[in-house]
Amino acid sequence: MTATHCPYCALQCRMTMDGPRVSAGELCQKGWTAGALLGAPDRLREPLVRDRRGGPLRPASWDEALDLVAARLRRVLAGHGPGGVAVFGGGGLTNEKAYLLGKFARVALGTPNIDYNGRFCMSSAAAAAQRAFGLDRGLPFPLADLDEADAIMLVGANVAETMPPLVRRLRRARDRGGLVVADPRRTATAGLASLHLAPRPGTDLALALGMLHAAVAGGLVRRDDLERRTEGFAAAWRIAARWRPEEAERVTGVAAADQRAAVGLLAGARRAYLLTGRGAEQHATGSDTVSAWINLALALGLPGREGSGYGSLTGQGNGQGGREHGQKADQLPGYRRLDDPAARRHVAAVWGVAPEDLPAPGPSAYELLDSLGTETGPRALLVFGSNPAVSAPRAGRVSRRLAALDLLVVADIVPSETALMADVVLPVTQWAEEEGTLTNLEGRVLLRRRAVAPPPGARGDLSVLRGLAVRLGRPAAEFPDDPEEVFAELARASAGGLADYSGIGYDRLRAGEEIHWPCPGPGHPGTPRAFLDRFAHPDGRARFVPVDHRGPAERPGGDFPLIATTGRVLAHYQSGAQTRRVPELAAAEPGARVEVHPDTARRAGLADGDRARVVSRRGTAEAVVRCTPGIRRDTVFLPFHFPGAERANLVTNPALDPVSRMPEFKACAVRLEPA
């Protein structure tokens, strides 16, 4: 029996494994069935190479595959320079993999072109938290604190389907009539709420402004906290002063009375939390939208007060740690900025290279993918732990860009849609077959233990990176493949940074210590609750950020009268490459559905169970109609877990947030028609 953690969302629930069987743990149906993925019939068990463009993939030895990749990378580097090569990672990679991937890109390849799919997940919330608090940690308090909450407001988060074990922590707030959910759909989570606010997609910022106005006009602002612990309220209020709840109602569709009621619940509770999710963040105005909700939380005195707070619910398994240690285009380990000379000196010293040899920050995820195979873009791409052919916005164009590369290499556990396009496919180990750390949504570092042996032909990602680095001329010692050794180096590289792991070691984690970063020394207990004494800005104060509503980048009208929004469903996770291979989950949700109000379906000539086309200016996705009165009449919902013609991201808008570079997944103009 081996104690380990679920491979899916950022809750990282504990589980016990007996061989490949999951035998204990408080898990959702994805966690309970995770063991089935270990024996997936199409599990990758040997490297595959393609001898010519368009030819079939054939089995190869590891030496042949790695020699081929290294030779072709050298050819691209010689012809196009370091910018000719790119690396794309994932928010499910362990801390060790994310760290070594960033080091590999910048030291072995010398390229600025590295980003990861977390850019599509948490980047807006991270940017807003950095502006407000000086530090981004999804939840700056332990999850268990929610158990005692009198009021909780969830904005754009459907935790009953995306992370079901979290629902039990909402129980007290729900029982006391203090659970508020803002979502354009009456989701399973909204069905639990005391108060459901259903804003028009893309108008969350206006809703937050209306509620801030209600808080000020109602005398509910904690003035002592504003004066003692914050800066910038006056500038934020000058904008919110124009947004009476009645004006916000006109834009959002949420009744002014409900806005005031929600504010009253949060302000009147002794212990209250405001939590945002992807629904608030995945917009071309996502950073400003999250800032607006943080402004409301600060006005009510929630952040930095024990028993209350603001937080963002991280989605991917290591979405928190994955963005801290160097696979994001502008960051170095420890949440250091790549354009900070002091950060470059520190990390370069740990890596044994000159600071000036580290590349500059590169393009964000979508910008990187959009440039692949173009005259000035990368000619080769290495993908670890991601499936952008399904998960990227404007997925049809991204697939064409992947096909235009001179070299596509994918390291994965199954033949994902992106792997099937690759010139070289490398079979790697998965969660239960390896050791490593992950950082869950509350900033706690967890040790994932190996429970079963991997298939004979699979290698760990660390081993793959080491093998390629050596073939590219780097000393083997620069790229260790032992997770504990890599973590020790990561800890040194993070020392003194915002995300300081220097006091965390495998010995402490094996002993069962629960350690939240920052942990700046071996004797430090970690920081389960940030901001109790001061915020992370130099003066210790939080910042209000003045923001105004602009609306989605693409408005409905004419040939595209509806708004499409995307998200997850209970049975599946991310691009579905894993969960679609689990029989129970595939049977529960075998294909894409489009949720639509019955009146809207009738106007389009459709009925429940019909096959429909959702058409945008970028492409068309097909899905089966599911009529539900719990969705707005101007909105349709598509899950993003399915491949081929059912890809929701064939229609989504790649318009980018100017701060976070997050694409606008949550609002695009579409029409609905029979397939």
Side-chain angles (χ1 to χ4, degrees), residues 337-361:
R337 290 190 59 86
L338 189 54
D339 58 6
D340 176 1
R344 293 171 69 90
R345 286 193 299 271
H346 175 85
V347 174
V350 174
W351 288 352
V353 299
E356 58 271 20
D357 289 342
L358 295 178

Side-chain angles (χ1 to χ4, degrees), residues 36 93 143 201 266 270 347 405 505 514 599 611-612 623 628 630 661 668:
L93 300 178
L143 267 174
L266 291 173
R270 191 160 65 90
V347 174
L405 288 164
E514 295 190 355
D599 293 348
R611 193 151 186 89
T628 172
R661 315 309 287 168
C668 71

Side-chain angles (χ1 to χ4, degrees), residues 7-19:
Y8 294 117
C9 81
L11 285 178
Q12 284 298 293
C13 298
R14 289 190 180 99
M15 61 164 59
T16 303
M17 293 198 67
D18 182 5

Side-chain angles (χ1 to χ4, degrees), residues 281-347:
E281 300 158 14
Q282 289 179 321
H283 296 277
T285 57
S287 297
D288 284 357
T289 299
V290 177
S291 288
W293 290 109
I294 292 175
N295 287 348
L296 175 63
L298 287 170
L300 297 175
L302 306 184
R305 175 155 58 98
E306 188 162 0
S308 294
Y310 162 80
S312 177
L313 296 170
T314 304
Q316 296 188 75
N318 198 31
Q320 181 69 57
R323 66 182 182 270
E324 296 168 359
H325 297 301
Q327 64 171 335
K328 193 163 170 275
D330 55 355
Q331 285 177 195
L332 288 169
Y335 230 137
R336 287 182 160 89
R337 290 190 59 86
L338 189 54
D339 58 6
D340 176 1
R344 293 171 69 90
R345 286 193 299 271
H346 175 85
V347 174

Side-chain angles (χ1 to χ4, degrees), residues 403-561:
L405 288 164
D406 297 337
L407 174 67
L408 175 60
V409 180
V410 175
D412 211 328
I413 61 173
V414 293
S416 70
E417 287 69 31
T418 306
L420 291 173
M421 300 180 67
D423 300 290
V424 180
V425 181
L426 303 175
V428 292
T429 53
Q430 60 174 305
W431 62 286
E433 301 164 353
E434 58 189 11
E435 193 168 66
T437 62
L438 300 100
T439 305
N440 77 350
L441 76 172
E442 59 184 358
R444 183 156 59 97
V445 182
L446 309 169
L447 181 61
R448 176 185 282 174
R449 291 175 170 85
R450 173 172 157 158
V452 297
R459 290 189 183 180
D461 298 78
L462 301 179
S463 175
V464 172
L465 292 171
R466 177 188 177 102
L468 288 174
V470 169
R471 285 168 171 81
L472 292 171
R474 303 305 303 188
E478 281 189 345
F479 289 88
D481 59 2
D482 175 69
E484 188 166 2
E485 187 178 347
V486 175
F487 187 86
E489 184 181 311
L490 177 160
R492 295 194 302 276
S494 75
L498 289 172
D500 190 334
Y501 282 39
S502 60
I504 307 173
Y506 272 40
D507 54 343
R508 296 183 68 179
L509 298 176
R510 288 191 183 110
E513 289 192 58
E514 295 190 355
I515 309 172
H516 301 71
W517 68 263
C519 181
H524 195 282
T527 311
R529 294 174 185 85
F531 312 143
L532 293 183
D533 300 318
R534 65 192 315 277
F535 294 99
H537 288 297
D539 62 2
R541 289 172 172 263
R543 305 285 193 266
F544 280 87
V545 178
V547 293
D548 204 352
H549 172 69
R550 300 192 298 277
E554 185 176 72
R555 308 296 176 96
D559 290 339
F560 305 98

